[in-house]
């Protein structure tokens, strides 16, 4: 018998978490009187300053409603109708955005198989032989996720190597940064070191998974790409009329390194969870824990029993791999109760 009450804490996604109190406070503070619409307000100006401080003076930032919109608008800045995006087969733009890039932008995604969500120069090299060939979509953008969909991180050197290779061949480097904060917290570095300084051209910055109510951003780090952004954002239905409430959330995350505090805590809870099951027989990790996600392989009976009481996703049904995700508001007590129930379920399955 499991010990906890039904669905005590979700381990399905950091999207299930609530809103950090400092973010809520910032939204309430912005809810004062009238303010010009569409970003012509003091809260958006403060947010722009905060991003310039974090990513460098060449960075321009555009608040958006969701990560799919930020990815599509960002990719659209660099792509022509006959172009292609090279990305890992696991990439969110390929697997979880309902074909938005293909439908909205009309471009081709060229995917690369990967063991852990990461791609490298040697993976890309062989795909560039079609450059200049009118019979083929032209590779134009390399897109990576930080962290990857497998919970792994690119180091700053790995990002820089991809950027240098892409730029030397006339390509751009795009980063889906839905969990960039988790990567920077895990690696102990700045957001800028993983993006601007490493040569990233376009970046979607995630806030919703890290304590925001609903706030993402497109950050353009290559100034010559920036001119069409206001128009593509409007066409892409990502221009908020009451933008101050989106901007205020992003500013709150960048104030006093709240983004790092939230992400570091979420990561620590994932490590605590992984350590709590490390000695269980029949349980193994598919990927190393480098962020706020844990991907264990479990006995099928254990998965079924745990899902009666906990929310989490089945990642690979063929190999019984699940995904557990922690968030800024996941407490040690939540993890410890989950671990206790996992251990009971595993022991019960072993004895049956």
């Amino acid at each position: 018998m499991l010990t906890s009450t039904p669905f005590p804490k979700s381990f399905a996604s950091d999207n299930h978490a609530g809103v950090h109190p400092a973010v809520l406070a910032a939204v309430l503070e912005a809810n004062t009187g009238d303010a010009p619409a569409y970003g012509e307000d003091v809260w958006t100006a403060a947010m722009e300053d905060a991003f310039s401080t974090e990513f460098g003076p060449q960075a321009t930032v555009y608040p958006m409603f969701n990560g799919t919109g930020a990815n599509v608008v960002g990719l659209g800045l660099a792509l022509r109708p006959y172009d292609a995006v090279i990305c890992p087969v696991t990439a969110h733009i390929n697997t979880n955005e309902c074909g938005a890039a293909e439908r909205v932008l009309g471009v081709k995604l060229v995917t690369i198989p990967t063991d852990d969500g990461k791609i490298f120069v040697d993976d890309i090299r062989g795909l560039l032989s079609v450059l200049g060939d009118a019979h083929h979509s032209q590779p134009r953008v390399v897109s990576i996720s930080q962290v990857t969909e497998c919970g792994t991180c690119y180091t700053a050197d790995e990002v820089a190597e991809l950027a240098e290779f892409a730029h030397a061949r006339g390509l751009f480097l795009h980063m889906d940064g839905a969990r960039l904060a988790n990567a920077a917290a895990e690696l102990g570095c700045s957001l800028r070191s993983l993006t601007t300084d490493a040569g990233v051209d376009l970046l979607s910055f995630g806030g919703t998974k890290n304590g925001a109510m609903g706030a993402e951003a497109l950050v353009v780090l290559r100034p010559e790409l920036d001119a069409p952004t206001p128009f593509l954002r409007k066409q892409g239905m990502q221009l908020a009329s009451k933008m101050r409430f989106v901007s205020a959330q992003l500013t709150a995350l960048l104030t006093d390194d709240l983004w790092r505090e939230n992400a570091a805590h979420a990561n620590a809870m994932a490590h605590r969870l992984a350590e709590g099951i490390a000695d269980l027989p029949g349980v193994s990790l598919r990927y190393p824990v480098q962020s706020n996600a844990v991907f264990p392989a479990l006995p099928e009976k254990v998965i079924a029993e745990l899902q009666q009481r906990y929310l989490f996703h089945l990642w690979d049904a063929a190999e019984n791999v699940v995904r557990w995700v922690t968030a800024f508001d996941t407490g040690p007590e939540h993890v410890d109760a989950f671990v206790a129930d996992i251990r009971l379920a595993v022991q019960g399955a072993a004895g049956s």
Side-chain angles (χ1 to χ4, degrees), residues 55 57-60 62 77-78 140 163-164 166-174 195-196 199-203 218-229:
F55 290 93
Q58 76 273 45
T60 51
Y62 298 86
L77 297 176
R140 180 77 165 175
E164 182 179 3
H167 294 160
R169 289 152 183 81
L171 279 64
F172 299 101
L173 181 62
H174 166 264
T195 55
T196 312
V200 172
D201 300 301
L202 300 156
L203 162 74
L218 168 64
V219 184
V220 183
L221 300 172
R222 180 74 74 94
E224 59 266 35
L225 294 175
D226 189 40
T229 313

Side-chain angles (χ1 to χ4, degrees), residues 30 33 41 85 159 161 198 293 303 335:
D41 59 86
V85 178
V159 177
E161 185 178 7
I303 296 173
V335 172

Side-chain angles (χ1 to χ4, degrees), residues 102-296:
E102 293 100 328
R103 178 170 175 79
V104 177
L105 301 176
V107 299
K108 184 177 180 62
L109 299 184
V110 178
T111 60
I112 298 174
T114 170
D115 292 332
D116 62 357
K118 295 167 68 173
I119 57 173
F120 300 94
V121 166
D122 287 344
D123 299 317
I124 300 168
R125 196 186 308 274
L127 300 175
L128 302 185
S129 61
V130 301
L131 286 172
D133 187 337
H135 297 283
H136 295 270
S137 296
Q138 295 295 284
R140 180 77 165 175
V141 174
V142 175
S143 180
I144 60 174
S145 300
Q146 182 75 303
V147 298
T148 73
E149 286 71 21
C150 301
T152 52
C153 296
Y154 289 91
T155 66
D157 287 344
E158 289 169 341
V159 177
E161 185 178 7
L162 285 168
E164 182 179 3
F165 180 83
H167 294 160
R169 289 152 183 81
L171 279 64
F172 299 101
L173 181 62
H174 166 264
M175 178 180 286
D176 181 339
R179 294 185 177 94
L180 171 62
N182 298 90
E186 187 75 8
L187 296 170
C189 62
S190 67
L191 298 171
R192 176 170 177 158
S193 68
L194 291 175
T195 55
T196 312
D197 295 346
V200 172
D201 300 301
L202 300 156
L203 162 74
S204 61
F205 177 80
T208 308
K209 292 179 171 64
N210 197 32
M213 179 185 298
E216 312 290 312
L218 168 64
V219 184
V220 183
L221 300 172
R222 180 74 74 94
E224 59 266 35
L225 294 175
D226 189 40
T229 313
F231 307 99
L232 290 181
R233 178 172 61 169
K234 179 65 174 181
Q235 281 191 337
M237 296 172 283
Q238 292 293 315
L239 179 62
S241 55
K242 295 184 179 181
M243 195 181 296
R244 56 175 157 158
F245 299 111
V246 184
S247 299
Q249 296 177 62
L250 295 167
T251 303
L253 288 177
L254 294 185
T255 299
D256 297 328
D257 278 354
L258 180 61
W259 66 267
R260 185 184 297 277
E261 177 185 331
N262 287 353
H265 176 80
N267 293 357
M269 293 301 99
H271 285 288
R272 186 185 186 100
L273 177 52
E275 291 163 4
I277 63 167
D279 64 335
L280 288 176
V283 176
S284 60
L285 294 183
R286 167 70 71 85
Y287 311 114
V289 179
Q290 297 179 350
S291 57
N292 64 323
V294 183
F295 293 83

Side-chain angles (χ1 to χ4, degrees), residues 19-38:
V19 182
H20 192 280
V23 175
L24 278 176
V27 173
L28 288 174
E29 184 179 351
N31 192 34
T32 304
D34 294 344
Y38 302 111

